[in-house]
Amino acid sequence: MFEGKYYNGRTSKGMPAFITLEPTYIRVAWQAGEESGTEIWQLSEIHKSEFNDATTLLEYGDFPRQSIAVFEQGFREALEQKYSDAKFLRSKYNAFQKTGIKGLLVGGLSLLTLAIVLFVWGVPALAEKAAAHFPLAYERAMGEQLHEQLMLGQTIDSAKTAALREYLAALDVKSDFPITVTVVKDDAVNAFAVPGGFVVVHDAILDKMKHHEELAGLLGHEIGHVQMRHSTKALARSLSYYMLLSILFGDVSGIAAVIVDNASTLNNLEYSRSAESDSDKAGLELLKQNKLNPKGMVWLMERLQSDDPEFLKFISTHPSTNDRIKEIEIQIKETKYKPEPNHELEADWAKLKK
């Protein structure tokens, strides 16, 4: 039997008590002036224990929560001897102690593995998820800065830009973003999407084209990247660690600045196979909604598949051109419309090919 204080949970006053450790419960016999009573504490309902050098505290029940404080030396040891398997004695500290060196090593390695997985895959994935939810106005503003930054190192072909914009205006295009196209002088056969509705087309790829439907397919493809935010997501993924640092240092507004400062990475971004496939479908869809020959997408792919070495860079950033052509041809077989000539587009195309 041990002496201590009993608290009934309704008042803060402690009452003198005698605590007896029975085989399956703890008996608490208390007295307060003329009043006295006995509480039976079932072991399973004792849910918290605290120990220090001088005092042992136990809590019981939900509401009102009772407690006892025992100041006698040896009470804790008696509890551990009597109820060695009791849940309330398994403190976090004890559990930690029982893990031993092996447990600590396993736990440490598990945490290290988790940290590596989170760092290598988790952070880029989270950045991509976040980019998918950028407000349209925010993405457009960021795209404007990106486009402006990109154009500083480029020679814009003003005549072809004007002609391409006329061609685009004559197309029926559906997009959440206003689409702005720019033609730059560059020998690389390339075109790429900038977040927020900007599309940059190299004059070299225009020179290689033979049919204006190829151009419509290319625009549809790049607008698909814009609409599905592939470039925004890919950029966020590639710059995720810089973005994480911006957040850690409390500079959330700096995320856009990080992306804009790395505008040069835009024309080298790689998209997943599914992203390319979805954008190919967008290109085909643009041809369909304008009743243009859907073979334009195939012609475009075949031209990019040429053995000419200058195509290699462009092709290398895209997955399996042969597979993409096969997939497009399957989709073309399912189309039911009859292509119609579009004299306005043909006239704008003629201006581009001068």
Side-chain angles (χ1 to χ4, degrees):
M1 183 180 296
F2 296 87
E3 291 187 38
K5 289 282 188 180
Y6 168 69
Y7 300 86
N8 61 16
R10 295 186 292 275
T11 68
S12 60
K13 183 180 179 181
M15 294 170 270
F18 292 99
I19 295 97
T20 306
L21 306 185
E22 303 291 352
T24 58
Y25 61 87
I26 293 177
R27 182 195 303 275
V28 181
W30 55 271
Q31 185 167 8
E34 298 297 324
E35 293 186 39
S36 63
T38 300
E39 307 293 335
I40 301 298
W41 284 15
Q42 301 296 331
L43 299 182
S44 60
E45 300 300 318
I46 302 174
H47 46 69
K48 186 177 181 183
S49 59
E50 294 180 18
F51 305 101
N52 57 45
D53 292 340
T55 307
T56 296
L57 298 174
L58 298 180
E59 293 186 358
Y60 183 81
D62 293 326
F63 184 83
R65 176 165 292 190
Q66 306 170 51
S67 60
I68 56 173
V70 178
F71 311 105
E72 282 192 62
Q73 297 296 312
F75 183 64
R76 172 182 174 180
E77 288 74 13
L79 283 171
E80 291 176 340
Q81 186 176 3
K82 192 83 174 182
Y83 311 123
S84 58
D85 295 329
K87 186 178 178 181
F88 71 92
L89 289 175
R90 297 179 207 150
S91 68
K92 293 179 180 176
Y93 175 72
N94 287 338
F96 181 74
Q97 282 186 315
K98 290 177 182 177
T99 56
I101 297 299
K102 186 177 179 181
L104 289 175
L105 283 174
V106 171
L109 286 173
S110 299
L111 287 175
L112 181 62
T113 303
L114 181 63
I116 292 173
V117 169
L118 181 64
F119 189 76
V120 174
W121 289 285
V123 171
L126 285 173
E128 187 174 323
K129 290 279 186 187
H133 293 88
F134 284 169
L136 296 181
Y138 177 88
E139 189 168 339
R140 177 67 180 181
M142 184 179 68
E144 285 178 346
Q145 294 182 62
L146 274 168
H147 186 256
E148 183 179 338
Q149 188 78 11
L150 275 169
M151 292 303 103
L152 290 177
Q154 300 287 342
T155 301
I156 297 175
D157 189 324
S158 301
K160 288 191 175 179
T161 295
L164 183 57
R165 289 180 179 178
E166 287 181 27
Y167 185 89
L168 177 66
L171 280 172
D172 175 18
V173 175
K174 295 180 175 61
S175 173
D176 292 333
F177 299 95
I179 303 299
T180 303
V181 291
T182 305
V183 179
V184 298
K185 295 181 178 179
D186 197 309
D187 293 337
V189 179
N190 203 2
F192 57 92
V194 180
F198 297 88
V199 175
V200 177
V201 180
H202 291 185
D203 60 350
I205 195 170
L206 292 173
D207 293 341
K208 293 292 180 183
M209 292 177 179
K210 303 298 182 186
H211 310 90
H212 80 86
E213 291 90 344
E214 297 172 48
L215 175 59
L218 175 70
L219 292 175
H221 177 92
E222 298 301 337
I223 292 170
H225 280 317
V226 168
Q227 180 65 20
M228 290 176 272
R229 297 177 158 185
H230 293 156
S231 50
T232 309
K233 293 175 187 174
L235 202 52
R237 175 178 279 275
S238 68
L239 301 174
S240 56
Y241 301 112
Y242 298 104
M243 292 170 63
L244 177 63
L245 288 176
S246 292
I247 294 171
L248 289 178
F249 285 102
D251 184 17
V252 177
S253 61
I255 292 174
V258 168
I259 293 176
V260 171
D261 287 346
N262 289 273
S264 59
T265 62
L266 262 172
N267 56 357
N268 292 316
L269 286 178
E270 292 189 18
Y271 300 125
S272 67
R273 181 179 295 274
S274 63
E276 289 296 351
S277 177
D278 289 343
S279 290
D280 286 346
K281 290 176 184 174
L284 194 59
E285 183 61 31
L286 185 65
L287 290 169
K288 288 166 64 177
Q289 70 193 35
N290 287 275
K291 295 189 176 178
L292 300 178
N293 192 336
K295 290 289 286 184
M297 281 299 294
V298 176
W299 296 331
L300 175 66
M301 293 296 148
E302 289 175 343
R303 215 164 299 288
L304 296 174
Q305 201 180 29
S306 166
D307 293 331
D308 191 333
E310 67 182 331
F311 287 148
L312 291 179
K313 181 183 176 185
F314 184 63
I315 292 173
S316 67
T317 63
H318 293 66
S320 181
T321 307
N322 275 331
D323 289 345
R324 292 169 68 187
I325 291 175
K326 289 176 184 175
E327 190 173 332
I328 290 168
E329 286 179 330
I330 290 172
Q331 293 169 28
I332 288 175
K333 288 178 181 176
E334 298 173 358
T335 58
K336 304 297 180 186
Y337 71 96
K338 182 179 179 182
E340 297 177 0
N342 187 315
H343 301 303
E344 186 176 3
L345 289 175
E346 289 166 5
D348 294 329
W349 170 249
K351 294 177 187 174
L352 272 168
K353 297 299 285 184
K354 279 184 181 177

